[in-house]
Amino acid sequence: MANRPAILSGLLSAPPRFLFFTGKGGVGKTSTAAATAVALADQGRRVLLVSTDPASNLDEVLETTLGSTPHGVLPGLDAMNIDPVASAAAYRERVVGPYRGLLPDSAVKSIEEQLSGACTVEIAAFDEFTSLLAEPRATEQYDHVLFDTAPTGHTLRLLALPGAWSDFIDTNTLGTSCIGPLAGLGNQQDRYRRAVATLADSAQTVLVLVARPDPIAIDEAARAAQELGALGIAHQRLVLNGMFVATGEGDPLADAMAARSHVLVRDLPPALAAIERDEVALVDFSLNGIDGLRAFVGGVRQRAPLPSEATIPEALGFDELIDELAHRGNGLVLTMGKGGVGKTTLAVAVALELARRGHEVELTTTDPADHLGAVLADAGQSVAERLHVGRIDPEVVTRSYTAEVLAKAGADLEDDALAVLKEDLRSPCTEEIAVFGAFARIVAHASDHFVVADTAPTGHTVLLLDSAQTYHREVARQGGEESPEVMQLLARLTDPAYTSVLVVTLPEATPVHEAASLQEDLERAGIHPKAWIVNQSLLAAKVTDPILRARAMRETEILQEVARRAGGRVAVVPMVCEAPQTIEEFHLLVGTTMALR
C-alpha cells in the first residue's frame, strides 16, 4: 500500500466508475490520469486505464509497452491504448466480412473503398471506446475505467459522436454513408444510446478537466466545461496542474509565475469557478514511471539526484533561422508539434519577422488570434500592410464545400439520388474533407509569397497528411471535383524548396519523444524538417528559484538528445511567463536566442 495521497484528494475521495481526463495539450492529462490510476490501484481498487489519444504517450509515462488489449502494469492496474489503425482494420473486416460470398466481388470492393478513408479510422476508434463504456462485460472485472483522451477539440468530437451518429443513423433512410453500409452501424445503435446515457449519468461518470495556470489552457478548459455540459455531461471536476509558489528571492520569472498562478485562480471563468477542483504544485522531477507517479501523488516536490552541471548545446539563433527562411523570398513555413508546445506563438513570431524583413506574409493559425490586431497596429503600417492573418473556420468551409458539391454534382440528379447525396454530406466526415481542401488551397498560396501556418496537434496532423491519399476517393464519392491544389499538395509538402517544417517541442522527455515520432512520420512521407525549436527553456532563461533551477538542470540531457535528433539544427527559446502580446515582446523572443551561442 502506498502513502496516503497528498494531492488529488478530492478526486480520489469518491471516484465514480468512469473518469475522463481532458484539456489542452501539454497540461499533464496523461500524467494526472496515470497518477490517479496508480493511486486507486494502491488503494486496492481494480483499475483499467485507457488512452484514446491517436498520439498516446501512456507507454512512456508508465514506462511499459502497451497494446490494444489490457496489459498488467502493477497489481490492480491494467492499461491499454486504443490503436486507431488496428481498430479501423478490425472494424473494416467486421463490416465487409458478412458480405463476402453474398455480394458480387465488385460490390464488396465498393464497400472496401468506402471504408478506406480517415473517417473510418475515427469511427472505428469511437466504436471501441463505446464498447468499453457501454458493454458491461467488457470491463466487469474493473472497479474503475479511466480514459486518457486527446487534447480538448478531439475529445469534444469523441464525446459528441455517440449522439451525432445515433441521430445520423436514425434519420438516414437510404443505407449509405462515408463509413460503409449503415447496417453495420445500425447493429451498434443501441450501444451508442447506452454510451450517451452513461456519459450523462453523474453517478457513473465524471469528466476531469485538466489545466495549467496559463490563460489559454484555462480558457480552453472553460469552453470544454460549457460544451460538454451542453452534451449532458454535467459531473465535472477541475485539476489545476503546475501551481507555483516561489521559494527563493530575486528571480523575476519565478515571481511572475507565482503572481500569474494567484491571479488566474482568483479570476477563474464562471464555468470553472463553479465546479470542484484540485490544485497540484509544480514539481522539479519527471513524472514518468510508477515511482515518479507515486511521489507526485504523495505530494513530493523535489527529488534527487540532479545533474552535476547544466549546459546548452551549440544552437542556432531563432533570428538566424528566420534569416535562412527570408533568403528564399517565398514558401510555406509550418510549425508542427504536440499540442501546448507554443506552435501558434512561434508561427506568429516567424510571420512578424518575415514581414519586418519586407516580405508579403499570409499567417494562418488554428486559434482565432484576435489579439494580433493590436500587435499589428503596434508594428507599424508597413508591417501591417504586408502581414495578412486568416483562419480555417470549420463551419464556414464545410458550408461552402456542401454548397459547392450540391451545385455541381446535385444539379441534374433525380430526387432519390439527390436525397442520398444530401444525407452523405450531413455525415461528420464532410467537415474533415472541407477543412483538408481549405488547407490545400492555403498551401498553394506559398508559390508567390510566404505562408506561415501552425497545425493541429501531432496525431491529427499525421492523419491529415495521410488523408492526402484518401481525399480523392472521398471527393469523388460525394460527387465533388478534385481541386488542383489538393492534387499538388503532397508534392508541395515534400519539396524542401517549397516547404520548411519547424518541429516545436518543450525541454521535457515526453514532448521531445512525441516530436521525434512526428519527425519519423514526416520523413516516411518524404517531408524532412528544416530545424527544431525547443520552446520555454528554463535553462536558457537562467532562473535561480530552487524549484525552477532544479527543473532547468534536468533540461541538459533533453537538449543534448534534441541536438542529436535535429542534426544540430536546433534553436532554444527561453521560458517567458506570458505569451508575447506586443511587437517588442515578439521581437525580444526571437532576438534573445542569439545570446545562447
Side-chain angles (χ1 to χ4, degrees):
M1 182 75 68
N3 294 331
R4 184 176 180 180
I7 64 167
L8 302 175
S9 55
L11 180 62
L12 290 167
S13 61
R17 178 159 162 69
F18 297 104
L19 298 91
F20 288 84
F21 292 80
T22 190
K24 182 177 173 58
V27 298
K29 292 182 301 297
T30 301
S31 298
T32 305
T36 304
V38 169
L40 289 171
D42 285 345
Q43 291 174 359
R45 312 289 181 83
R46 298 166 299 170
V47 182
L48 175 63
L49 175 59
V50 183
S51 173
T52 68
D53 190 342
S56 171
N57 64 333
L58 192 55
D59 298 46
E60 182 158 14
V61 171
L62 295 175
E63 292 187 336
T64 189
T65 300
L66 301 175
S68 57
T69 57
H71 170 81
V73 178
L74 55 82
L77 174 59
D78 291 346
M80 61 179 283
N81 291 310
I82 291 182
D83 181 338
V85 175
S87 298
Y91 174 84
R92 193 177 296 119
E93 185 54 33
R94 194 163 68 245
V95 173
V96 175
Y99 294 98
R100 298 188 196 282
L102 296 178
L103 297 178
D105 290 345
S106 59
V108 172
K109 184 177 180 181
S110 175
I111 297 173
E112 290 175 335
E113 282 289 320
Q114 291 179 46
L115 291 167
S116 61
C119 196
T120 300
V121 175
E122 183 166 15
I123 195 65
F126 152 76
D127 197 54
E128 190 162 345
F129 153 72
T130 58
S131 174
L132 293 170
L133 191 62
E135 295 290 351
R137 285 182 298 177
T139 59
E140 62 185 2
Q141 66 270 45
Y142 301 105
D143 298 313
H144 304 283
V145 181
L146 282 64
F147 293 93
D148 167 37
T149 71
T152 311
H154 184 269
T155 299
L156 289 171
R157 182 171 171 77
L158 186 73
L159 297 182
L161 277 173
W165 280 106
S166 290
D167 291 345
F168 185 63
I169 296 166
D170 277 343
T171 56
N172 187 313
T173 59
L174 301 168
T176 63
S177 80
C178 55
I179 54 173
L182 285 177
L185 276 178
N187 294 335
Q188 312 301 327
Q189 198 168 0
D190 182 57
R191 180 205 296 172
Y192 298 163
R193 289 198 177 96
R194 282 184 277 120
V196 172
T198 300
L199 289 169
D201 185 348
S202 297
Q204 292 194 73
T205 303
V206 63
L207 180 84
V208 183
L209 299 156
V210 185
R212 282 184 177 273
D214 171 83
I216 296 175
I218 294 285
D219 288 346
E220 187 158 324
R223 179 175 62 84
Q226 291 178 311
E227 295 189 16
L228 292 167
L231 292 174
I233 307 173
H235 188 189
Q236 302 177 356
R237 290 193 67 91
L238 173 66
V239 172
L240 283 175
N241 269 333
M243 297 298 294
F244 181 69
V245 177
T247 54
E249 296 182 352
D251 186 332
L253 180 60
D255 292 341
M257 289 174 63
R260 182 176 67 169
S261 290
H262 173 75
V263 170
L264 286 173
V265 171
R266 185 194 65 191
D267 299 337
L268 281 176
L272 298 182
I275 62 179
E276 294 182 292
R277 69 172 180 267
D278 294 274
E279 296 183 13
V280 182
L282 185 71
V283 299
D284 82 346
F285 55 90
S286 168
L287 300 186
N288 289 355
I290 300 301
D291 289 344
L293 293 167
R294 282 176 170 152
F296 174 66
V297 175
V300 175
R301 293 194 67 193
Q302 293 182 282
R303 295 181 77 196
L306 291 173
S308 57
E309 61 179 16
T311 58
I312 295 177
E314 185 75 9
L316 289 167
F318 193 4
D319 56 354
E320 185 180 357
L321 185 57
I322 294 173
D323 282 341
E324 288 183 16
L325 298 171
H327 182 70
R328 289 165 31 186
N330 68 287
L332 174 68
V333 182
L334 293 174
T335 55
M336 302 182 74
K338 175 182 169 66
V341 298
K343 295 185 298 293
T344 301
T345 296
L346 295 178
V348 172
V350 169
L352 282 168
E353 289 301 314
L354 289 172
R356 283 168 62 99
R357 286 161 169 76
H359 296 283
E360 293 290 324
V361 182
E362 181 178 350
L363 170 65
T364 297
T365 78
T366 53
D367 293 327
D370 294 335
H371 69 286
L372 285 181
V375 174
L376 291 177
D378 189 36
Q381 184 176 359
S382 60
V383 171
E385 289 178 348
R386 287 192 290 268
L387 178 56
H388 309 281
V389 182
R391 173 175 177 252
I392 297 176
D393 186 322
E395 291 187 10
V396 171
V397 297
T398 301
R399 282 199 301 271
S400 176
Y401 172 79
T402 300
E404 179 183 353
V405 171
L406 287 174
K408 291 180 179 177
D412 299 322
L413 294 178
E414 299 292 337
D415 288 347
D416 289 348
L418 182 61
V420 170
L421 178 60
K422 287 181 176 179
E423 286 199 358
D424 203 6
L425 288 168
R426 253 188 339 105
S427 78
C429 311
T430 298
E431 180 179 302
E432 292 284 345
I433 300 170
V435 170
F436 190 79
F439 175 73
R441 288 192 291 275
I442 289 173
V443 168
H445 298 169
S447 59
D448 60 6
H449 59 261
F450 279 107
V451 172
V452 181
D454 66 352
T455 59
T458 307
H460 185 263
T461 301
V462 173
L463 288 176
L464 188 70
L465 292 174
D466 181 63
S467 294
Q469 311 301 322
T470 57
Y471 178 89
H472 308 297
R473 286 193 294 271
E474 286 299 310
V475 170
R477 189 183 55 77
Q478 289 191 335
E481 294 184 357
E482 297 179 18
S483 72
E485 293 88 355
V486 171
M487 297 291 287
Q488 297 176 44
L489 177 61
L490 202 54
R492 284 170 168 152
L493 293 177
T494 55
D495 181 358
Y498 194 94
T499 298
S500 298
V501 172
L502 305 179
V503 175
V504 183
T505 186
L506 300 177
E508 299 172 12
T510 297
V512 166
H513 295 159
E514 291 187 346
S517 178
L518 168 64
Q519 178 170 266
E520 292 171 1
D521 289 339
L522 291 171
E523 290 182 338
R524 276 197 294 273
I527 302 169
H528 303 287
K530 184 176 184 62
W532 284 46
I533 300 177
V534 179
N535 195 22
Q536 299 182 29
S537 168
L538 288 167
L539 191 55
K542 301 176 181 175
V543 292
T544 60
D545 178 272
I547 291 288
L548 299 185
R549 181 62 184 164
R551 291 178 66 94
M553 295 281 285
R554 296 186 192 281
E555 290 181 6
T556 300
E557 185 177 348
I558 294 296
L559 292 176
Q560 290 171 344
E561 179 182 346
V562 171
R564 288 195 302 273
R565 292 183 181 279
R569 292 192 57 79
V570 52
V572 183
V573 178
M575 173 85 170
V576 294
C577 185
E578 302 286 352
Q581 298 293 318
T582 68
I583 188 69
E584 287 80 12
E585 289 173 348
F586 275 105
H587 189 52
L588 182 62
L589 185 75
V590 172
T592 306
T593 59
M594 286 296 287
L596 297 175
R597 300 207 66 182

